[in-house]
Amino acid sequence: DMCLKDLMHIWLFEVMRQKLAYNTFTSYETTYRKYVLKIGNLSALKVYDIKPLTLQRLYNDMDKMGLKKTVIPRVNRLLCAFFNYALLQGYIVKNPTYKLTIPTKKEYESSARCVAPFTNEEINLIINNAKGLYKFLFKLAFATGLRRGELLGLKVKDLDLINNEIHVVHALKDVKSFEDSNKYVYKRVLEQPKTKSSIRIVPIPSAIISDLKKYLNEQKEKCMSLGQPYNDECFLFTNKFGRTINSSILQKAWIYTLEHAGVERRVFHNTRHTYATKLFEQGVPLKTVQVLLGHANIAITSAIYTHVMPREKEMAVDRLNFIFESGTKN
């Protein structure tokens, strides 16, 4: 006989907190607190009184509020997961989120608009203006397309210098860790990637192997000067004290570098978009790019980089010219 906000609170903190990764749980908790509790009177309704039409009207009202297009799908995913739990427990007889019309654009349309790859000239400006360890970190980001957390989570043992490969098996993240519903702390954790496809092997371009070896020697010397052991378990990127790098510090270094390089500010994630775009421009197949990026399925890659596809289609069709050219000669 509980209202939605009370049962969902119990579900979040006594069931889902034990099952979800830190960032996923934080996303659930934020969506619950910012939207479920504050929009309309949904949270005060009894769980069994919430019908599909109740939610449909709520989503329609949210759409009129001018919220970001990703908000409504996020709220719906949270409610869908919660009502599935309520259904399994016998609190309701049907999930009210089933077959609702979500008034939003496709999930990846907004992502595609954010893709703004760097030019070759801009890449060189960024690398040449980077300071200290960030010079090689940024170069490796452009050369491999690794996510920020994947770069910061790299250890020496993840590098295969015989085959020139990186084994991506972890990501280092600064996360919000809840002790209870009212108390949390921020901490740095080394997690496995969220999906199996993110665990992958990424080739290292031969052009930066010498830079990588030089950087490893510098890291070894730094560890020795700090009196720290240097072995396969050492992180590849550490600060002057030999500690892992905070993602916010990386972000500040990134912005500082762009400003000094005179390059238009874009988020660090655009190193990844640049990597993918350059691969497409060189005629690398879509499936290969998907695997290198660690996307869960090819539809994600195709949707995000749809702006590159027209040029690739033209190039592909042009390869058929030889048929008609040979026919003309005959």
Side-chain angles (χ1 to χ4, degrees), residues 68-87:
K68 288 183 179 179
K69 291 295 182 181
T70 55
V71 170
I72 300 175
R74 196 160 75 237
V75 171
N76 186 65
R77 282 194 295 270
L78 175 65
L79 290 174
C80 182
F82 166 73
F83 283 118
N84 276 337
Y85 168 78
L87 184 63

Side-chain angles (χ1 to χ4, degrees), residues 5-241:
K5 72 173 183 179
D6 293 334
L7 186 57
M8 184 173 276
H9 184 277
I10 293 172
W11 171 72
L12 277 173
F13 286 92
E14 296 188 20
V15 179
M16 301 310 290
R17 186 159 63 118
Q18 319 303 324
K19 298 170 61 175
L20 300 176
Y22 288 102
N23 283 349
T24 306
F25 178 77
T26 300
S27 175
Y28 273 37
E29 189 276 337
T30 302
T31 303
Y32 164 76
R33 178 168 34 83
K34 288 183 64 176
Y35 301 108
V36 175
L37 293 184
K38 294 185 178 180
I39 296 180
N41 65 341
L42 181 69
S43 66
L45 296 177
K46 301 293 185 184
V47 174
Y48 53 73
D49 281 339
I50 298 174
K51 308 300 180 186
L53 186 58
T54 309
L55 297 179
Q56 187 66 67
R57 286 172 173 166
L58 174 72
Y59 294 161
N60 292 343
D61 290 341
M62 290 174 69
D63 189 47
K64 295 174 185 177
M65 293 169 64
L67 299 170
K68 288 183 179 179
K69 291 295 182 181
T70 55
V71 170
I72 300 175
R74 196 160 75 237
V75 171
N76 186 65
R77 282 194 295 270
L78 175 65
L79 290 174
C80 182
F82 166 73
F83 283 118
N84 276 337
Y85 168 78
L87 184 63
L88 289 172
Q89 297 301 315
Y91 303 146
I92 56 176
V93 296
K94 183 180 178 181
N95 187 331
T97 64
Y98 184 61
K99 286 191 175 181
L100 290 181
T101 300
I102 309 300
T104 184
K105 297 179 181 179
K106 290 182 180 180
E107 183 176 356
Y108 297 106
E109 285 187 7
S110 59
S111 299
R113 290 196 297 271
C114 295
V115 176
F118 293 96
T119 64
N120 293 347
E121 181 183 2
E122 288 175 325
I123 293 172
N124 288 322
L125 283 170
I126 291 168
I127 294 171
N128 291 335
N129 281 274
K131 305 296 182 184
L133 67 90
Y134 295 106
K135 183 179 290 291
F136 183 69
L137 192 157
F138 295 161
K139 180 178 287 190
L140 190 64
F142 281 116
T144 61
L146 266 62
R147 301 175 177 93
R148 177 172 57 185
E150 293 170 345
L151 284 163
L152 297 180
L154 284 177
K155 293 186 175 183
V156 174
K157 67 179 181 181
D158 299 328
L159 305 175
D160 180 354
L161 295 182
I162 296 176
N163 298 304
N164 292 349
E165 296 173 339
I166 294 177
H167 293 251
V168 183
V169 292
H170 290 107
L172 190 69
K173 300 177 181 178
D174 294 297
V175 300
K176 185 188 287 186
S177 177
F178 287 84
E179 297 180 13
D180 56 49
S181 59
N182 297 312
K183 186 177 180 181
Y184 60 85
V185 295
Y186 284 98
K187 65 180 184 179
R188 199 163 304 155
V189 297
L190 189 66
E191 289 187 321
Q192 281 193 340
K194 187 175 180 180
T195 62
K196 289 183 179 179
S197 54
S198 291
I199 300 175
R200 63 199 189 280
I201 297 176
V202 179
I204 307 171
S206 57
I208 71 165
I209 291 297
S210 60
D211 293 326
L212 173 57
K213 291 179 178 178
K214 179 182 176 182
Y215 177 79
L216 287 173
N217 286 331
E218 291 172 352
Q219 278 293 94
K220 185 175 182 179
E221 291 175 2
K222 181 170 72 173
C223 284
M224 292 174 64
S225 67
L226 293 169
Q228 298 175 350
Y230 181 80
N231 52 45
D232 284 352
E233 292 296 329
C234 290
F235 283 93
L236 187 61
F237 297 109
T238 57
N239 61 22
K240 62 182 180 180
F241 303 110

Side-chain angles (χ1 to χ4, degrees), residues 217-276:
N217 286 331
E218 291 172 352
Q219 278 293 94
K220 185 175 182 179
E221 291 175 2
K222 181 170 72 173
C223 284
M224 292 174 64
S225 67
L226 293 169
Q228 298 175 350
Y230 181 80
N231 52 45
D232 284 352
E233 292 296 329
C234 290
F235 283 93
L236 187 61
F237 297 109
T238 57
N239 61 22
K240 62 182 180 180
F241 303 110
R243 299 172 187 148
T244 53
I245 296 173
N246 186 299
S247 58
S248 63
I249 298 298
L250 170 60
Q251 178 64 13
K252 290 178 182 177
W254 173 251
I255 293 172
Y256 174 87
T257 303
L258 292 186
E259 290 176 348
H260 280 256
V263 175
E264 180 187 355
R265 183 182 293 191
R266 275 158 277 182
V267 296
F268 182 78
H269 199 72
N270 265 308
T271 59
R272 183 169 163 84
H273 293 322
T274 301
Y275 171 78

